[in-house]
Amino acid sequence: MSAKKIILTGDRPTGKLHIGHYVGSLQNRVKLQNSGEYESFIMIADQQALTDNARDPEKIRNSLIQVALDYLAVGIDPQKSTILVQSQIPALSELTMHYLNLVTVSRLERNPTVKTEIKQKNFGQSVPAGFFIYPVSQAADITAFKATTVPVGEDQEPMLEQTREIVRSFNSIYGDVLVEPEGYFPPEGEGRIPGLDGNAKMSKSLNNAIYLSDDADTVQKKVMSMYTDPTHVHVEDPGHVEGNTVFTYLDIFDDDKQKVADLKAQYQHGGLGDVKIKRYLNDVLQAVLDPIRQRREQYAQDIPGVYQILKDGSEKANVVANQTLKEVVEKMGLNYFG
């Protein structure tokens, strides 16, 4: 096994990625990849996406390449990170099957992340079985690569704990093979960016997102429509910066912290209009997004080349996952024919 720490992370391909993904995880992945301290496996989790999109496979197929383009555009380097497609790694499904026998239905029902997502998706009593057991599938993804580190948001900690439980159960029953992963969390307050409408979460379904692939005009229109302070009616009125989405974004994206502090003071005192502050935020965001857009456009000119990157990464990942499966099968005594 590699002397480096091993990362496993990824996304469901249900649409293009937005700046919330960039702030919450993509920036960190690039930083960790470039640190030289980690071996990174970055998964496009198409099988997991199908758990609640089984009747719309075309959506997943189309989104797969969009997510890959977003990865490459933000700086995920296929020479430094292995980008793989979940469905192309058969060992993951076999590991999931073995792990399912180590988990009870009641334990899955108690998983806070699963409970929350089932409620958000309004499944009622019609929860697809594949969706219900996806914490076990995630455990297979993580353990197949013997990941030591999983970059996630705080809300995913219950999923990691479920993986650690499976690892401990397997190792205690069959012998030590699997590795317990640790979470790698963004600094407090930096893992989630509010939506354009002030909603606590930016998401595709709420239609309140700025996408990494949005052109400059689209970004500008979205910024000019952002939620600010409803009590700040006139330019001369004192305004609030707490809960004001424009200032939240400036705190995240503008490196000139003194400038932001000065703008906040002026806004709170009165004399700074929403239009002016939004135009400034637009300039800041365009500076961040423009190089990402340019790289994305370059990669988009060679889609067969992007598919080749995914194929090469999946083949490399298969070698690793198959080795783990071989060790698991041997420990379980299922290698009947040698």
Side-chain angles (χ1 to χ4, degrees):
M1 192 167 66
S2 170
K4 289 183 180 179
K5 294 178 181 177
I6 299 171
I7 284 174
L8 185 283
T9 185
D11 298 279
R12 288 159 41 103
T14 55
K16 296 176 179 179
L17 301 182
H18 52 62
I19 59 173
H21 297 114
Y22 183 70
V23 169
S25 61
L26 296 175
Q27 278 188 121
N28 259 340
R29 292 180 202 174
V30 174
K31 185 176 82 173
L32 294 172
Q33 162 199 275
N34 293 339
S35 72
E37 297 175 17
Y38 298 88
E39 182 176 0
S40 293
F41 292 90
I42 301 179
M43 171 185 288
I44 304 181
D46 58 333
Q47 283 185 314
Q48 194 184 118
L50 283 164
T51 61
D52 56 330
N53 289 280
R55 288 169 175 78
D56 191 8
E58 199 58 31
K59 172 184 175 183
I60 308 306
R61 184 176 179 83
N62 292 337
S63 297
L64 181 89
I65 201 69
Q66 297 300 329
V67 171
L69 286 169
D70 286 332
Y71 282 173
L72 296 167
V74 299
I76 301 294
D77 183 348
Q79 301 302 315
K80 298 178 181 177
S81 295
T82 302
I83 307 174
L84 61 133
V85 180
Q86 186 181 33
S87 63
Q88 304 307 298
I89 319 297
L92 301 179
S93 297
E94 192 167 339
L95 287 170
T96 300
M97 189 67 212
H98 294 316
Y99 297 168
L100 278 169
N101 297 318
L102 303 176
V103 179
T104 64
V105 170
S106 62
R107 175 66 183 91
L108 285 169
E109 286 175 333
R110 290 198 307 275
N111 187 307
T113 310
V114 175
K115 285 167 69 174
T116 300
E117 293 190 7
I118 286 174
K119 187 176 179 182
Q120 286 173 345
K121 293 178 186 297
N122 296 315
F123 282 136
Q125 295 300 307
S126 303
V127 184
F131 188 88
F132 185 67
I133 62 110
Y134 87 78
V136 184
S137 171
Q138 281 195 337
D141 300 337
I142 293 165
T143 58
F145 303 100
K146 300 194 175 176
T148 59
T149 310
V150 184
V152 287
E154 296 282 355
D155 59 336
Q156 292 295 309
E157 172 58 30
M159 309 297 281
L160 276 181
E161 183 53 35
Q162 187 115 51
T163 296
R164 287 190 286 265
E165 288 175 15
I166 289 170
V167 168
R168 289 193 287 266
S169 293
F170 186 94
N171 288 348
S172 68
I173 296 168
Y174 301 111
D176 286 350
V177 170
L178 305 178
V179 175
E180 284 193 44
E182 292 299 321
Y184 182 97
F185 303 102
E188 191 170 349
E190 293 182 22
R192 177 166 288 186
I193 182 170
L196 300 171
D197 54 1
N199 190 292
K201 185 178 181 183
M202 179 176 284
S203 76
K204 294 184 283 277
S205 58
L206 295 174
N207 196 29
N208 64 357
I210 293 174
Y211 293 93
L212 297 172
S213 53
D214 281 344
D215 62 36
D217 287 345
T218 301
V219 171
Q220 183 177 16
K221 286 173 187 168
K222 288 182 176 181
V223 170
M224 297 312 287
S225 73
M226 282 174 72
Y227 177 84
T228 55
D229 173 10
T231 69
H232 187 243
V233 180
H234 304 105
V235 172
E236 62 271 16
D237 292 341
H240 299 89
V241 298
E242 299 81 8
N244 186 321
T245 309
V246 174
F247 284 103
T248 303
Y249 281 37
L250 284 174
D251 281 337
I252 293 168
F253 290 102
D254 193 356
D255 292 332
D256 190 343
K257 301 306 177 190
Q258 186 56 53
K259 170 86 170 174
V260 175
D262 293 343
L263 289 170
K264 284 182 177 179
Q266 188 180 353
Y267 192 82
Q268 289 171 311
H269 180 266
L272 179 59
D274 286 342
V275 170
K276 188 172 181 180
I277 195 68
K278 286 177 178 179
R279 283 178 179 157
Y280 177 69
L281 173 60
N282 178 62
D283 290 343
V284 169
L285 285 178
Q286 300 288 4
V288 172
L289 292 173
D290 192 52
I292 294 173
R293 277 193 295 255
Q294 288 182 28
R295 283 193 297 268
R296 199 181 196 280
E297 287 168 11
Q298 288 173 349
Y299 280 109
Q301 290 171 14
D302 183 16
I303 296 300
V306 176
Y307 274 115
Q308 190 62 49
I309 288 170
L310 298 180
K311 184 172 184 285
D312 292 345
S314 297
E315 287 174 354
K316 180 181 175 185
N318 259 319
V319 173
V320 179
N322 286 340
Q323 177 59 33
T324 300
L325 177 62
K326 181 172 180 283
E327 293 169 20
V328 163
V329 166
E330 285 174 354
K331 285 290 186 182
M332 295 179 72
L334 303 178
N335 55 332
Y336 303 120
F337 311 118

